[in-house]
Amino acid sequence: MTATDDLIDRLPEPPEALARATSQAERVADMLRAFVIDGALSPGTRLSEERLSRKYGVSRNTLREAFRLLSRERLLVHQMHRGVFVNRPTSDDVRDLFSARRSLELPAVRGARGAPEDAVSAVGAAVAEGEAAREVGDWWRMGTANMHFHQALAGLAGSPRIDEFMSQVLAETRLVFHVMNAPEQFHAPYLDWNRRIHLRIAERDPDTAAVELSRYLDTSEEQLVTAFTAMERATGDA
Amino acid sequence: MTATDDLIDRLPEPPEALARATSQAERVADMLRAFVIDGALSPGTRLSEERLSRKYGVSRNTLREAFRLLSRERLLVHQMHRGVFVNRPTSDDVRDLFSARRSLELPAVRGARGAPEDAVSAVGAAVAEGEAAREVGDWWRMGTANMHFHQALAGLAGSPRIDEFMSQVLAETRLVFHVMNAPEQFHAPYLDWNRRIHLRIAERDPDTAAVELSRYLDTSEEQLVTAFTAMERATGDA
DNA sequence: ATCGTGGGATTGTTGAACAATACTTCAATC
DNA sequence: GATTGAAGTATTGTTCAACAATCCCACGAT
């Protein structure tokens, strides 16, 4: 044990980026995930192995590995001998997604008194992002900002696993907006609500914030479900 | 639209079992998942593609699809050019797992007043299962029963997504018991506690139940973390 | 003890092949 | 006209073999 060793031990932890290069399957999965989330691939679309593998220059086997990753995230659904499709959520799914969000967001907000400062400011940043987007009338970015807001709320819990589950739930929620054609306008009226919630958290009054959030989720769910079921009837059930 | 059509429309929904046969990759994943959960494969073990594919008569490609599924569940970890290993949780993971459980179990229990009867009785069944196992001194089955108990608690929320996340969390928790060699004895003293919690739920007093559960989680986490960190120091950190 | 330097083993990825299954088309039947 | 049956076609499911890229280990040199 020399002096050099001591210095080395004190060195900062290895940055995440230094992890060994990602596999092709993961990169393809990342790309497809982005396509699904921002609607380049709409719900119900079938992903042809042959065409995708040719288009992106990867083998079918590699592509299938990516498919497996994404079906575990519920973004794709695998049907035996029929292929993989972009998941098309039903109104039951919408209800369940909100149910899951209640479990994730409300406890996180209620326990926000002890949350670290940067977790709180992340919430504020998401609100600001949304307001900036409203400024220029960018509906799409408003939706993204709203997702960030709720991701930040869940992040108050400080748990990596909850963060990850939350982002899956939000990604799937985004699919809901894609099945209906009325994409992001739903978020517009909620911006001021978000601002209020953030204020309560910032002034360390988490219980009031939780009450507000709970109301938010209720009305948001109701609005979505009714719009969704109306659309389900219109488009034909099956 | 004839009379026959009416009759057909009235037929019960297709049973789940009728879903198209599962793929080989999923079956292999199921098998490996079971191996990991009940310790036939212990944390840190590397899963050789060549040996596994030969042993179970599947191609390396199919095996890799199964690997992708299981690494999304955090049961396996994929290291580029090194292979897949059975996940070996750290003490940080233990803390995070309990954090996640708090978010899942406590809200479910608090909202248990409106839970359907069979969801409540599932909790009771898990308690009974644990007591039966204690009767015969079957420690392993006691651990399983305890997992079922907490799965049933989360099930009170009535959300498929929460159920699924919970089972992943519990599966990973089981890995924690495998890294330490003291497998399931940890569960023994908690059986009476479980019984009490179930009683509170059954008599529709969810708030008291939640308080009890919260205390349970606190002490259980503390005991596990201390035992775990002690072991980490003993076995060598890295 | 540390540092290079092969050599061997394992994974990463591809391409082709074939079987199994689903979909489509079209003719035959009621 | 709608339904059934029977090809034929397209796509997925799975395997195999090959090769490149990378890691790991052991050996020898400093």
Side-chain angles (χ1 to χ4, degrees):
Chain A
M1 180 67 85
T2 75
T4 316
D5 288 330
D6 278 342
L7 284 176
I8 289 176
D9 285 344
R10 275 174 233 275
L11 248 35
E13 294 302 305
E16 202 59 44
L18 202 131
R20 280 186 195 66
T22 64
S23 70
Q24 187 116 262
E26 287 175 72
R27 284 197 302 274
V28 172
D30 288 344
M31 180 187 65
L32 292 179
R33 186 184 302 109
F35 287 168
V36 170
I37 287 178
D38 55 54
L41 288 167
S42 35
T45 311
R46 179 166 142 268
L47 302 184
S48 159
E49 295 186 354
E50 203 257 336
R51 288 174 58 188
L52 277 178
S53 72
R54 200 141 35 73
K55 170 131 187 163
Y56 294 109
V58 299
S59 76
R60 276 181 62 212
N61 289 319
T62 302
L63 196 58
R64 287 171 65 90
E65 289 185 29
F67 284 168
R68 295 296 184 179
L69 289 171
L70 293 173
S71 24
R72 272 272 77 165
E73 300 178 28
R74 291 184 192 260
L75 293 184
L76 304 182
V77 293
H78 198 135
Q79 292 190 36
M80 192 65 168
H81 285 120
R82 291 181 24 85
V84 298
F85 302 78
V86 180
N87 183 19
R88 188 209 301 271
T90 70
S91 59
D92 281 343
D93 288 319
V94 177
R95 271 182 280 265
D96 195 41
L97 285 169
F98 273 91
S99 170
R101 287 178 60 175
R102 267 181 262 272
S103 292
L104 296 180
E105 298 185 45
L106 290 177
V109 167
R110 284 206 199 89
R113 208 182 307 271
E117 197 52 52
D118 50 343
V120 176
S121 60
V123 177
V127 174
E129 180 191 355
E131 287 169 343
R134 176 165 58 182
E135 226 42 57
V136 280
D138 186 341
W139 304 107
W140 175 251
R141 231 183 95 218
M142 281 193 55
T144 308
N146 201 39
M147 298 288 160
H148 289 169
F149 175 73
H150 290 279
Q151 181 84 53
L153 288 186
L156 292 170
S159 158
R161 279 167 187 75
I162 291 192
D163 287 349
E164 189 191 304
F165 185 39
M166 185 69 186
S167 48
Q168 284 184 29
V169 166
L170 286 179
E172 210 182 336
T173 302
R174 201 124 221 211
L175 276 182
V176 174
F177 285 94
H178 285 133
V179 280
M180 337 194 267
N181 283 10
E184 305 304 284
Q185 336 233 1
F186 281 89
H187 298 308
Y190 298 133
L191 244 177
D192 303 316
W193 217 333
N194 291 358
R195 169 60 71 194
R196 280 207 304 282
I197 293 175
H198 169 250
L199 273 180
R200 298 285 172 247
I201 295 173
E203 59 198 20
R204 302 287 163 175
D205 180 6
D207 293 318
T208 314
V211 172
E212 294 247 35
L213 173 60
S214 179
R215 277 207 287 264
Y216 168 101
L217 289 171
D218 287 344
T219 67
S220 178
E221 171 177 7
E222 197 205 311
Q223 180 182 358
L224 261 186
V225 168
T226 54
F228 200 92
T229 49
M231 186 226 64
E232 270 181 334
R233 269 195 303 278
T235 321
D237 330 300
Chain B
M1 179 66 84
T2 75
T4 317
D5 288 330
D6 279 342
L7 284 176
I8 289 175
D9 285 345
R10 275 174 232 276
L11 248 36
E13 292 303 303
E16 201 59 44
L18 203 129
R20 279 189 196 60
T22 64
S23 72
Q24 187 120 255
E26 288 176 72
R27 283 197 303 275
V28 172
D30 288 343
M31 181 185 64
L32 292 178
R33 187 185 300 110
F35 287 167
V36 170
I37 287 177
D38 55 55
L41 287 168
S42 35
T45 310
R46 179 167 143 269
L47 302 184
S48 159
E49 294 185 355
E50 202 256 338
R51 288 175 60 189
L52 277 179
S53 72
R54 200 142 34 74
K55 171 132 186 163
Y56 294 108
V58 299
S59 77
R60 276 180 62 209
N61 299 83
T62 301
L63 197 57
R64 287 171 65 93
E65 288 185 29
F67 285 169
R68 295 297 185 181
L69 288 171
L70 293 173
S71 29
R72 273 269 83 160
E73 301 178 28
R74 290 185 194 260
L75 293 184
L76 304 182
V77 292
H78 198 136
Q79 292 190 35
M80 193 65 170
H81 286 121
R82 293 185 18 86
V84 297
F85 302 78
V86 179
N87 184 18
R88 189 207 301 271
T90 70
S91 58
D92 282 342
D93 289 319
V94 177
R95 271 181 281 264
D96 194 41
L97 285 169
F98 273 91
S99 169
R101 287 177 61 175
R102 266 180 263 272
S103 291
L104 296 180
E105 299 186 43
L106 290 177
V109 167
R110 284 204 200 91
R113 209 184 304 273
E117 197 52 53
D118 51 343
V120 176
S121 60
V123 178
V127 175
E129 178 190 357
E131 288 170 342
R134 175 164 62 182
E135 228 38 62
V136 279
D138 185 341
W139 304 108
W140 176 252
R141 233 183 91 218
M142 280 192 56
T144 308
N146 201 39
M147 297 288 159
H148 289 169
F149 175 74
H150 290 280
Q151 181 83 53
L153 288 187
L156 291 170
S159 159
R161 279 167 187 74
I162 290 192
D163 287 349
E164 188 191 306
F165 185 38
M166 185 69 186
S167 48
Q168 284 184 30
V169 166
L170 287 178
E172 209 181 337
T173 303
R174 201 123 223 212
L175 276 182
V176 174
F177 286 94
H178 285 135
V179 278
M180 336 194 267
N181 283 9
E184 305 305 288
Q185 336 234 359
F186 281 89
H187 296 310
Y190 298 133
L191 244 177
D192 303 317
W193 217 333
N194 291 357
R195 169 59 72 190
R196 279 206 305 282
I197 293 175
H198 169 250
L199 272 182
R200 298 286 171 246
I201 295 172
E203 58 198 21
R204 303 286 163 173
D205 181 6
D207 292 318
T208 315
V211 172
E212 294 248 36
L213 174 59
S214 179
R215 278 209 287 265
Y216 168 101
L217 289 171
D218 288 343
T219 68
S220 177
E221 171 176 9
E222 197 205 312
Q223 181 182 356
L224 260 185
V225 167
T226 55
F228 199 93
T229 51
M231 185 226 64
E232 271 182 334
R233 271 194 302 278
T235 322
D237 332 301

